[in-house]
Amino acid sequence: MIERIHDIYRPADERVRDFNEVEVRLAPEQVREQMLRCHNCGVPFCHGAGCPLGNVIPDFNSAAADGDWLTAWRILSETSFFPEFTCRICPALCEGACCNGVNDDPVMVRQCEKVIVETAFENGWVKPVVPAVRNGKRIAVVGSGPSGLYAAEALNRAGFGVKVFEANHKPGGLLRYGIPDFKLDKRVIDRRISLMRQAGIEFQTDCRIGLDVAGQYLLRNYDAVVLATGTPCARDLNIPGRDLDGVHFALEFLQGQNRVNDGELRTLPVNAKGKRVLIIGGGDTGSDCAGTAIRQGAASVKQVEIMPMPPETRSKSTPWPAWPWMLRTSSSHKEGCEREWNVASDRFLGENGVLTGVEVHSVKWETTSEGKPLKPVAVENSTRVIEADLILLAMGFSGADPKGPAADLQLKFTPRNGLIADPEHHVYTVGDCTTGASLVVRAMADAKKTVQEIIRDLA
Ligand SMILES: Cc1cc2nc3c(=O)[nH]c(=O)nc-3n(C[C@H](O)[C@H](O)[C@H](O)COP(=O)(O)OP(=O)(O)OC[C@H]3O[C@@H](n4cnc5c(N)ncnc54)[C@H](O)[C@@H]3O)c2cc1C
C-alpha cells in the first residue's frame, strides 16, 4: 500500500535561518506514485464539493500518475489561471473532501498541482493569453490581490481592455504584502504579473482610488469598474492599555518583513528580535506571525486563542466531505511556538508607556452535542499575567473599507460589512471585500463567477 508522504518541509533548524519557502517540491516520480492513491472516483467530491474553482482533480491526478505532465497542465490550466499560488498556500479544500479521507489520508493534490505547474513553467508551456479579438470595451479593476488579478486575467482573455489600479507599490495584495515569503516566494507573483502585462493588461501602482483618482472618474472612463479591494480593517482589541508601545496589528508586522525582504523598506517597522512575543489570535495569520518572529530572532513566541483547542481528528460537527474543523499545526508552530487555547485577554500591562504583558483569564466553552463551541464562560480564579514585550493582534478582519471607492460609488454594505455590487451602474465587487476575509482560492473563484456576470451584462 502506498502511504501519503507527510514530510514536505525543509529541516526546521535550516529553514528558520532564512525566508525561503519552507516546503520542498516533490520529485515527479514521487508525485506519480502518490497519484496512484487517487481512485478517480465516479463522484469526485474533491472537484465538486472541495475546489471552489472546480478543478478537475481526478483527471489531472490521472495524467500525473501516467507522467503525462502536458496533459495534466492542460486540464489544470483550463479551470485555474494561477495554480502556482494555490499550490503553495491553499489549505487544499479538495483534500478535505477527498474520498480517501473517510478512513485514510487524503491524496496530496496540492503537491501534485505544484509539480504540474512548475513543470509547465520550466517547459515554456505557460504563455501569456492574448485574446484573438478585442471587443473595444474597457474595464477598471481596483485592487491587485488574487481576486483582482483573477478578474483582470479572465476579462482580458474575454477581449476586454483591462487596467488594474493598485494602492501599493507592487501588485499582489495580501499575496505580496501579507503572506510571508517562506510560504510564497514573491518571484512567483512577479513571474505571473509579467505574463499578464505581456497579455495586454495594464497596471497602475501607487494609486489609491478614492484618493489619487476618484471612483466616479473610473465610472466615467471605463465601461465597468470591478472593486477587489480586500478587507483592510483588522479587528482590534480595545481593552485597557491598547495604546502602550509594543501592541501592533499582525499585518503591520508581516508587511514590514515582506517589504524589507523585497528592498522596499530598509528597516523593520516592528521588530521581534530579542523580544518575548505574544500573538493574540490562533488562526493562520497568527501562525505566519510566529514564523516571522522566530526568523527575526524573538526570545520566545507564544500564540493564544479564546476558542477551545480543536480535536486532533475531524470533529463530528464537520463530517466528510465538509472542510474539517480539527487541530492544525503549521510548519511555523513546529519551529518553536507555544500555543494555548481558552484564553481571554483583559488588559494590556506596561511601565512608562511600554508594554510588559497582558492580564488574561481562562474560559470554558459550552458546546453542542457534536462538540461545536457555543459560548465562553469565565473560569473562576484563573486570572494571570502573560509577560510580553511585543503583542501582535491577529484576530481577523472586520470587512471592507467604508471609505475610498466604496464611498465614491455609494455602494451599500451587507450586515457583515461586505460590499454589495451595483451592476445596474456597472460596478462589481469580487473577493474578500464582498465575501469577507477568506482564502486565496475563494477570492479567485468569486472573481471567476463575477466575470461571467460582467461578460453577460456588457454583451
Ligand atoms: C497574513 C495572512 C496570511 C494569509 N494566508 C493565506 C494562506 O496561506 N492561504 C490562503 O488561501 N489565504 C490566506 N490568507 C487570505 C488571503 O490572503 C485573502 O483571502 C486574499 O488575499 C483575498 O484576496 P483579495 O484579492 O480579495 O484581497 P487582497 O489580497 O486583500 O487585495 C486587495 C488589494 O486591493 C488594494 N486596494 C484596496 N483599496 C484600494 C484602493 N482604494 N485603490 C487601489 N487599491 C486598493 C490593496 O492594496 C490590495 O492590494 C491570508 C491572509 C493574511 C492576512
Side-chain angles (χ1 to χ4, degrees):
M1 202 176 88
I2 302 163
E3 288 185 1
R4 180 179 167 123
I5 300 172
H6 287 284
D7 191 7
I8 52 165
Y9 299 99
R10 293 158 59 212
D13 57 345
E14 175 200 307
R15 66 185 190 236
V16 294
R17 285 186 259 132
D18 59 50
F19 282 89
N20 299 335
E21 285 183 1
V22 294
E23 281 189 12
V24 293
R25 180 172 144 197
L26 296 184
E29 303 75 47
Q30 286 176 299
V31 170
R32 286 187 66 176
E33 187 181 67
Q34 283 294 309
M35 289 313 113
L36 297 175
R37 299 187 68 244
C38 174
H39 298 287
N40 207 329
C41 303
V43 182
F45 286 85
C46 53
H47 152 75
C51 181
L53 287 168
N55 284 352
V56 193
I57 293 161
D59 287 8
F60 67 65
N61 282 355
S62 266
D66 292 342
D68 184 353
W69 301 106
L70 180 58
T71 301
W73 166 244
R74 284 187 176 141
I75 298 166
L76 171 60
S77 57
E78 208 149 279
T79 53
S80 173
F81 293 161
F82 309 140
E84 68 271 30
F85 301 152
T86 41
C87 76
R88 287 174 164 82
I89 47 153
C90 191
L93 308 179
C94 51
E95 295 185 18
C98 171
C99 293
N100 276 13
V102 175
N103 60 358
D104 193 1
D105 289 323
V107 174
M108 49 191 338
V109 180
R110 190 167 63 81
Q111 296 307 316
C112 178
E113 185 183 27
K114 190 175 199 171
V115 172
I116 297 171
V117 61
E118 290 307 326
T119 305
F121 269 106
E122 281 159 11
N123 284 286
W125 301 334
V126 190
K127 300 230 163 45
V129 182
V130 183
V133 186
R134 292 275 178 197
N135 61 20
K137 295 190 172 143
R138 287 172 15 105
I139 299 197
V141 176
V142 183
S144 66
S147 68
L149 292 182
Y150 207 98
E153 176 72 18
L155 289 163
N156 189 64
R157 287 185 188 207
F160 292 93
V162 182
K163 183 160 180 174
V164 181
F165 295 86
E166 169 55 55
N168 274 314
H169 188 52
K170 288 189 177 178
L174 286 173
L175 293 173
R176 187 181 296 277
Y177 292 106
I179 296 172
D181 292 7
F182 59 77
K183 277 167 61 183
L184 175 66
D185 188 321
K186 304 312 175 234
R187 284 172 297 190
V188 173
I189 310 173
D190 296 339
R191 181 175 69 178
R192 177 54 65 180
I193 300 294
S194 161
L195 283 165
M196 293 176 74
R197 287 187 203 273
Q198 290 171 54
I201 299 169
E202 288 178 72
F203 287 88
Q204 182 160 347
T205 53
D206 295 311
C207 175
R208 182 167 286 281
I209 302 302
L211 190 70
D212 303 313
V213 173
Q216 290 298 344
Y217 170 85
L218 296 185
L219 256 194
R220 280 197 305 274
N221 288 279
Y222 291 82
D223 294 284
V225 176
V226 180
L227 296 188
T229 46
T231 51
C233 312
R235 276 205 200 105
D236 207 345
L237 186 56
N238 284 315
I239 55 175
R242 173 63 183 87
D243 54 353
L244 285 165
D245 184 8
V247 185
H248 296 272
F249 284 118
L251 257 190
E252 227 182 309
F253 176 67
L254 294 171
Q255 249 191 58
Q257 183 64 62
N258 285 7
R259 287 183 199 270
V260 165
N261 291 352
D262 198 37
E264 252 187 68
L265 285 181
R266 293 175 78 148
T267 51
L268 292 169
V270 184
N271 194 341
K273 191 173 171 54
K275 294 185 181 151
R276 294 163 302 176
V277 177
L278 178 70
I279 301 152
I280 300 185
D284 292 344
T285 300
S287 152
D288 289 347
C289 288
T292 304
I294 288 164
R295 280 161 182 72
Q296 289 181 1
S300 64
V301 179
K302 185 175 205 160
Q303 187 179 14
V304 293
E305 164 63 49
I306 191 170
M307 298 297 287
M309 183 172 154
E312 298 269 351
T313 52
R314 183 189 279 276
S315 156
K316 281 189 196 144
S317 64
T318 52
W320 177 87
W323 178 242
W325 182 58
M326 59 184 280
L327 181 66
R328 290 176 208 285
T329 301
S330 69
S331 57
S332 296
H333 292 134
K334 289 184 184 154
E335 290 163 1
C337 170
E338 199 189 318
R339 286 190 283 174
E340 262 189 62
W341 287 266
N342 298 316
V343 177
S345 308
D346 298 321
R347 60 187 178 117
F348 297 116
L349 306 169
E351 277 169 23
N352 304 322
V354 179
L355 177 80
T356 56
V358 60
E359 192 177 282
V360 299
H361 69 270
S362 301
V363 295
K364 268 203 301 222
W365 284 84
E366 287 175 8
T367 59
T368 62
S369 57
E370 290 169 327
K372 195 172 172 186
L374 280 178
K375 195 170 143 217
V377 183
V379 174
E380 267 181 49
N381 302 322
S382 65
T383 297
R384 61 196 185 279
V385 170
I386 302 176
E387 293 181 351
D389 313 301
L390 173 61
I391 289 186
L392 301 169
L393 304 178
M395 301 175 307
F397 298 86
S398 62
D401 188 355
K403 302 185 295 299
D408 276 9
L409 299 169
Q410 299 173 350
L411 292 191
K412 296 200 171 74
F413 284 75
T414 66
R416 302 189 75 163
N417 296 329
L419 293 182
I420 299 177
D422 181 7
E424 217 174 291
H425 296 99
H426 293 167
V427 179
Y428 299 85
T429 56
V430 294
D432 280 8
C433 70
T434 188
T435 62
S438 187
L439 295 172
V440 167
V441 69
R442 291 208 180 103
M444 297 196 302
D446 187 55
K448 185 178 191 175
K449 181 180 80 150
T450 306
V451 164
Q452 293 309 312
E453 287 170 36
I454 299 173
I455 292 171
R456 200 184 52 223
D457 291 356
L458 297 196

